Each structure stands twice: as structure tokens, then as C-alpha cells.
Amino acid sequence: MNLFSLKKSGKKIAAVASAVLVLSLTLTGCGTKQTSDPAPQAVEPNSIIKIGVISPFTGPAARTGQEFKDSITMAFSEINNKVGEHPIEFKWIDSESDAEKAARAYESAIVNDKITVGFMDWHSWVSVSCMEVAAKYKMPHFFSYGATDVVNQKYKSDPGKYEYWLGKAWPTPEKLSIGYVKAVEEAINKGLWKPANKKVALFGVDNDWGRGFCAALAEQYKAAGWEVVSTEWVGLGETDFYPLLNKLKGLNVSMVAGTMSDPSSVSSLIKQSKEVGLKSIIASDGLGWVGEWYKLTGDASDYVIDQIPQWTTPEAKKFQADFKAKYGYEPGAAVAGMSYDYSKFMIKVLEATEKDYGSITTENLFKEGKEKVMTGQLTYTDGLLMKEYKYTPETFPDPVIDQDHYMFPVVQYFGGKGSVVWPDAYKNADLKIPNQ
């Protein structure tokens, strides 16, 4: 054997010996046991939780989407965007207020961006569409605002398929709208209002939310002895209501009631109602959804009633002030306030999932939602606006609605401020009637 071969062989022997020594020291130092069974795969302590938030970040309801984004960001920043050892990242999914576009964007977030869980949504018709995506990919989606009864109908038609749509942030329109009729009926019974007639005209944005809301109102007014003389539909983003309002004025109705889905539409309707001289009491559901509604309407909103949460507690008022200081605009209680509350509820779900299952995964979040949230074992009681956010098998996918849990009071606006006129437990003013 030549000198080169000896050197080469010596290097190989040394390398093998060194590798064996390192392996031996490693096994001895770590106390590792030799076993034929594979070691369990530990969850990475810094594994990222990706939350996909659906909201209209562009389009006619973009102002609402901005409040969602800012309030969610504010809530999660309070825990430094981290649950345990898990950093939180957000995928902001722009619905563009369009059901098909939202579904495609949601699917892309699941398939391409690998989100861990879905969260929130504003529009009813978007929720109906995205329910299909969540079912297809078995993606747990928590706390959507989409209130339409179509969501409930789909869930009840096939609970095994649609059980991934885990809890609505808003209940069905019939549960949200009942206060409008009760408030005016109480005023009539107390002699505060003697309407010339019991005729009402309804208006609504022409989609799942508006149709469901107006259908609920119609039944409630009829049950109270009112005549629904007209139901008018408008498009999303519509701002010219002069023909509609002149028609309603000609019908000589005592009340006009309905709902829109975007700030520009509802504020235009209210301003133009004053310009045409409409004397009816207006119930405009959602007028105060965004915080700057009074800047959009001015005193045209005086006498309008709205069923909506308010900044009432010291904690709620502090949040309102902190939000405005941080982002430079006025938040709305129903949008920023409630999405902040539901963000805190979502944080509680994430923490409970890790505690109950040892890791925060898509599958485990679904289990936590189904076994704990749906059954009322996991609730949220530290909210700014409601006493308790809770679901039960009897109410699901809606939350529990009553004065001890979740309820919207009816307020009447004057000078940009809302006074509660219903129910009596929250009331601080009587319903005032414009000159008719």
C-alpha cells in the first residue's frame, strides 16, 4: 500500500471514530433511550397562528372594514400578538362586499396562505357564501356578523356539514329588530304618541340582510296592528333617495323603517329625508354603526330611532377614547366595540384550545368551538358592551339573547347623541315625536 492509500484510509477511520464518539456523547448526555417506536412530534413553541379575517376593506362598506381591522389589531396588541409561545399573524381577507369575490379570497387564504382559523365577517350574503368554503375545507370560522336567517337555515339543514361556522356575532333580524315595534307601541300605550294612522313603509338594501330584516319587521308590525303599505328595495351603495322619499311622503305613513349596509347609503337617506320634508318617524337600523355617522348626517338625524349598543360603562368609554386617540377617528359601538369584544373572546378560545388539547391547530380549534363554545361551557363575560357572550345548543348558531346576556337597546338621536327609549331596564328618556 502506498503512502497516499495509507493516509486516505487513516482519514476514513478517524472520521468514523469521531462520528461514533459524538453520537455516544449525545445519547449519554441527553439520556436518550433506544426504542423501536418513533418519537412523538413536538409542537414547535414558536409556531405561528394565522387568523383569516373577512371584512369589506374596499368598496362601499370599507369604512366598516377599517373599524374591524383597527379594533381587532388593538385587542391582539394587548397580548403582544402572542398566545403562549405562538405568534399571531393576520390575513386580511377583503370581501369587497361581494359574495363571490369573498368566497374566492377566503379559499385562497385557506389553500395558499395556510390560515389556521377564520374569524369575523360583516355582510350576511358574504357569510352565506363563505360558509360553503369553510365546510369544503373543514375550516373553523368564529363569530361572523352575518345575521341573516339564511345562515341559520343552512346550518340546520345539515349541521354536520356547516358546523364549522362557529357562532354568529349577531342573531337573526327578528331578534335584532323587535325593539322598534315595542318602543313605539309603548309610547302609544302611554299616550306619548297619537299617530294619525298605523301605517308603515319599509325599506331595505336588496340582499340577504335587508330582505330578512324587512320580513321580520313586517311580521312584527302586522302583529301589533300596523298596515305595511309599501316595501322598497335599494342597491348597495345607492345614494340618491329623492324619488323613494317623495313616494313615501306621498303615502302619508306614520312610520318609515328599514336598514342599509353601508354608511354612504344610510347617511344619504337620512339627510335627504329632511330635505324632502318627510314627517314620519324613521327607524333606521344601523345608522350609528360607524362612529362618524353624525358628521355624515348632521341634525337630519334628530328623532331617528336605531336599535344599537351604546358606550355606557366606564370600560367602554375608556376604549372609545383610547381608540380615537390611537386611530384618529370616532369608533362605532356596534362595529369597533363589538369586534373588540369578540376579538377578546377569540383570544380566550385560542388559550383554552392550548390548555385543553396541548396545541393550537385548525382541528383542535374546531373541537374547542364545537365542544365548548357551542355548548355554552366557554363564554366571555368581560366585554365592553354585553354582559355575557354565550351560545347554547338551543340558540346556536345565534348567541343567547336577553337582558342578562346580549341585547341591543333602542335609542333615539338628538344632536348626535343617542338616548335609550327601550327597554325600561335601560331607558333614560321617553320617545319624542316630531311634528307630523
Side-chain angles (χ1 to χ4, degrees), residues 152-217:
N152 297 52
Q153 292 167 8
K154 286 172 76 75
Y155 173 78
K156 292 174 183 177
S157 72
D158 193 345
K161 177 180 179 180
Y162 296 113
E163 62 186 352
Y164 294 90
W165 207 251
L166 286 161
K168 293 163 60 184
W170 278 16
T172 53
E174 58 265 29
K175 296 174 184 176
L176 279 178
S177 60
I178 188 65
Y180 293 114
V181 178
K182 287 186 175 292
V184 297
E185 282 296 300
E186 286 183 8
I188 292 171
N189 293 335
K190 291 179 179 179
L192 300 174
W193 184 28
K194 296 180 180 179
N197 56 58
K198 293 191 76 171
K199 294 181 179 180
V200 58
L202 306 180
F203 66 89
V205 60
D206 192 12
N207 53 40
D208 289 332
W209 163 247
R211 287 190 292 271
F213 188 88
C214 285
L217 276 184

Side-chain angles (χ1 to χ4, degrees), residues 124-422:
S124 285
W125 59 98
V126 169
S127 290
V128 171
S129 177
C130 287
M131 283 180 76
E132 299 294 338
V133 180
K136 177 180 178 181
Y137 292 99
K138 299 184 181 342
M139 175 58 61
H141 191 103
F142 287 85
F143 310 140
S144 164
Y145 270 59
T148 177
D149 194 49
V150 178
V151 170
N152 297 52
Q153 292 167 8
K154 286 172 76 75
Y155 173 78
K156 292 174 183 177
S157 72
D158 193 345
K161 177 180 179 180
Y162 296 113
E163 62 186 352
Y164 294 90
W165 207 251
L166 286 161
K168 293 163 60 184
W170 278 16
T172 53
E174 58 265 29
K175 296 174 184 176
L176 279 178
S177 60
I178 188 65
Y180 293 114
V181 178
K182 287 186 175 292
V184 297
E185 282 296 300
E186 286 183 8
I188 292 171
N189 293 335
K190 291 179 179 179
L192 300 174
W193 184 28
K194 296 180 180 179
N197 56 58
K198 293 191 76 171
K199 294 181 179 180
V200 58
L202 306 180
F203 66 89
V205 60
D206 192 12
N207 53 40
D208 289 332
W209 163 247
R211 287 190 292 271
F213 188 88
C214 285
L217 276 184
E219 291 302 314
Q220 291 160 7
Y221 276 111
K222 289 175 183 176
W226 288 72
E227 178 187 358
V228 179
V229 299
S230 177
T231 303
E232 307 293 333
W233 305 111
V234 301
L236 183 69
E238 177 64 58
T239 57
D240 181 5
F241 296 105
Y242 292 107
L244 168 62
L245 290 165
N246 279 307
K247 176 182 178 180
L248 298 181
K249 182 180 177 181
L251 292 173
N252 192 33
V253 294
S254 295
M255 282 209 69
V256 172
T259 187
M260 302 291 189
S261 293
D262 59 281
S264 60
S265 290
V266 66
S267 59
S268 296
L269 182 138
I270 297 303
K271 286 192 296 185
Q272 292 166 25
S273 69
K274 184 174 183 179
E275 293 174 25
V276 303
L278 184 68
K279 299 298 184 183
S280 312
I281 291 181
I282 299 176
S284 179
D285 190 79
L287 171 59
W289 281 341
V290 297
E292 296 173 314
W293 63 271
Y294 189 64
K295 290 183 179 179
L296 298 174
T297 64
D299 62 6
S301 59
D302 288 355
Y303 292 99
V304 173
I305 60 174
D306 188 1
Q307 191 164 3
I308 192 168
Q310 299 289 288
W311 306 113
T312 55
T313 66
E315 294 81 7
K317 292 176 180 178
K318 182 179 184 303
F319 169 84
Q320 181 188 24
D322 290 347
F323 186 101
K324 187 173 182 180
K326 184 177 180 65
Y327 297 112
Y329 66 92
E330 192 74 35
V335 179
M338 287 192 64
S339 59
Y340 176 86
D341 278 356
Y342 274 106
S343 295
K344 302 294 274 190
F345 196 173
M346 187 71 234
I347 291 169
K348 188 172 182 180
V349 171
L350 292 166
E351 293 171 341
T353 300
E354 183 166 45
K355 179 181 177 182
D356 291 340
Y357 298 101
S359 62
I360 301 173
T361 65
T362 298
E363 181 181 1
N364 288 343
L365 282 165
F366 168 68
K367 290 178 183 177
E368 190 71 27
K370 183 176 181 179
E371 295 170 8
K372 297 293 180 68
V373 177
M374 285 175 60
T375 60
Q377 296 180 58
L378 184 62
T379 70
Y380 186 64
T381 56
D382 296 321
L384 300 173
L385 301 172
M386 306 297 167
K387 292 183 179 179
E388 183 175 23
Y389 295 90
K390 180 178 181 178
Y391 300 85
T392 68
E394 292 74 29
T395 67
F396 200 84
D398 286 352
V400 176
I401 306 297
D402 59 42
Q403 292 185 25
D404 294 323
H405 293 86
Y406 178 123
M407 194 189 69
F408 287 2
V410 176
V411 302
Q412 187 171 37
Y413 295 123
F414 289 96
K417 304 293 183 182
S419 297
V420 177
V421 297
W422 180 90

